[in-house]
Amino acid sequence: MQLSARLGAKMSEKILAIDAWATWNPPEMGPKWPEEMRHIFRRYRRLDVLERGTTLPDLLAEMDAAVEKLVLSSFYYREVKITNDMAGKAARERPDRFIFSGTVDPRGIMKSVREIERLVKEYHMKLLRLEPYAYGTPWEGLPPNDKLYWPLYAKCVELDIAVAIQVGHTGPLLPSECGRPIYLDEIALAFPELRILGAHLGQPWHEEMMILAWKHPNVYVETSARTPKHWPKPFVEFCRTYGQDKVIWGTDYPLLSFERTLREIDELGFPLEVKRKLVRENAIRALKP
């Protein structure tokens, strides 16, 4: 094969993407989302998608065009209850397409520790999802370095599963200060064996998140809920160069679509080896699916 043909084949190589943060939103949950959550879907022009909900067959059909696997997560907030068992059973039935991520409330320490163990045993959970804004009051969250979380982190290390923690300013009308990425520094130092994903990029503190991922071998930046078209320029350079092994692509589906975010990544013009790390290889290293 001539060199030009080999290069052309390499540039057209299809990468089997893994989406690191997605939530199954069954149709029956559509009407139950409260206004503080509907607010951000309205801003993203995806309110109709939230309200309509998505069946699992429809979700799989959307994935077929762009994504090999996604992290299928449970989610609890007020009347919205996409339970650990709902998401876990769906993931267990289709391990070829879904990686299960469960969630717990750190305010119930022993109940949560036992639930983590159950989810790993019954559903092969690979990722624990934590949203600090949800564990406090409407105006003050529970920062992830609070000691209520520490038994959960220890259990994740024991069971060799990763943890994804929301960082950055919240899009929903909920507390943001608890999302400061610097809180992850203490966690990474105390639990160097714990693989930590700072989810949602960390804006407006994204440089804080980037330097933590550069500093700590066990910390990654995860990009869900942030469109590649609007990634800050320093973060795009981070992806392209010294941070290319520490960035993991995600959508926060249904907030963003698979097609849109992958298309916008292509438009950033990353070299093929960088794109492969971003949309697949780094997720495999962090999640061990």
Side-chain angles (χ1 to χ4, degrees), residues 6-70:
R6 290 200 303 270
L7 289 174
K10 184 176 181 181
M11 290 305 295
S12 63
E13 177 184 324
K14 182 176 177 60
I15 300 171
L16 300 176
I18 298 174
D19 183 345
W21 183 296
T23 304
W24 176 32
N25 179 39
E28 62 270 22
M29 291 296 163
K32 297 182 179 182
W33 289 88
E35 178 55 30
E36 58 265 35
M37 291 289 182
R38 291 163 58 90
H39 165 82
I40 188 59
F41 279 83
R42 189 177 295 113
R43 293 291 181 93
Y44 276 64
R45 300 181 183 179
R46 297 275 289 180
L47 183 58
D48 59 328
V49 177
L50 181 74
E51 293 178 333
R52 184 171 64 245
T54 308
T55 65
L56 280 177
D58 285 344
L59 175 57
L60 286 164
E62 284 190 60
M63 292 170 59
D64 285 342
V67 177
E68 180 193 22
K69 288 187 176 185
L70 61 74

Side-chain angles (χ1 to χ4, degrees), residues 143-204:
N145 64 337
D146 189 282
K147 300 310 177 285
L148 286 174
Y149 293 92
W150 284 41
L152 313 186
Y153 300 146
K155 179 57 69 170
C156 288
V157 171
E158 178 187 330
L159 298 176
D160 195 27
I161 63 172
V163 59
I165 303 171
Q166 181 269 331
V167 293
H169 205 290
T170 57
L173 295 173
L174 292 163
S176 292
E177 197 279 335
C178 56
R180 287 293 301 259
I182 196 62
Y183 291 127
L184 304 188
D185 189 56
E186 181 181 346
I187 302 164
L189 290 170
F191 299 94
E193 299 171 64
L194 178 65
R195 301 184 304 282
I196 303 166
L197 282 64
H200 304 345
L201 186 54
Q203 289 175 284

